[in-house]
Amino acid sequence: MYNKGVQTNHVFMPRKSTVSKSTATAPKAPRKTRTRKTATVKTVTSPAVKPAPVVKPVAKKVIVTTFQGGKVIAKKTTLKRPGTSKLITPQRYMADIATRWAIHNYEIQELLKDFSKGFEIVKPYHAQVVKLLNN
């Protein structure tokens, strides 16, 4: 703690007690200090709303073994090409992009409305300050 140019070691909040090592031969009773209790915060989650687990596609691996003269020379692990059956069509992809762009435009529109409302709220105070500074 630093107070009026003088460094002090006063602590205004009680701290958690610590165990100190004793250098004396006879064990002493630990020094009594006040301890601060830590607060525990409980979070309540609704059992009905749980995020769905995200399933990541796992690429299958294949071990390629190279032989020469009947003996194994090298083993190399390579990835197998995934199937294309789960890919979306270009039409669905373009529709998704259009939907996301429409959502973006809506959010920007609402942001501009909020900015204009904020400007209208601040406008009288700005005029009052300008009037005060001009006088």
Side-chain angles (χ1 to χ4, degrees), residues 58-64 76-82:
V58 178
K60 295 182 180 179
K61 296 180 181 179
V62 178
I63 298 175
V64 178
K76 185 176 181 182
T77 304
T78 60
L79 298 176
K80 186 177 180 182
R81 185 177 189 269

Side-chain angles (χ1 to χ4, degrees), residues 8 20 35 47 50 52 54 63 69 80-81 87 122 133:
T8 61
S20 62
T35 59
K50 289 187 178 180
V54 178
I63 298 175
K80 186 177 180 182
R81 185 177 189 269
L87 296 177
V122 172
L133 292 176

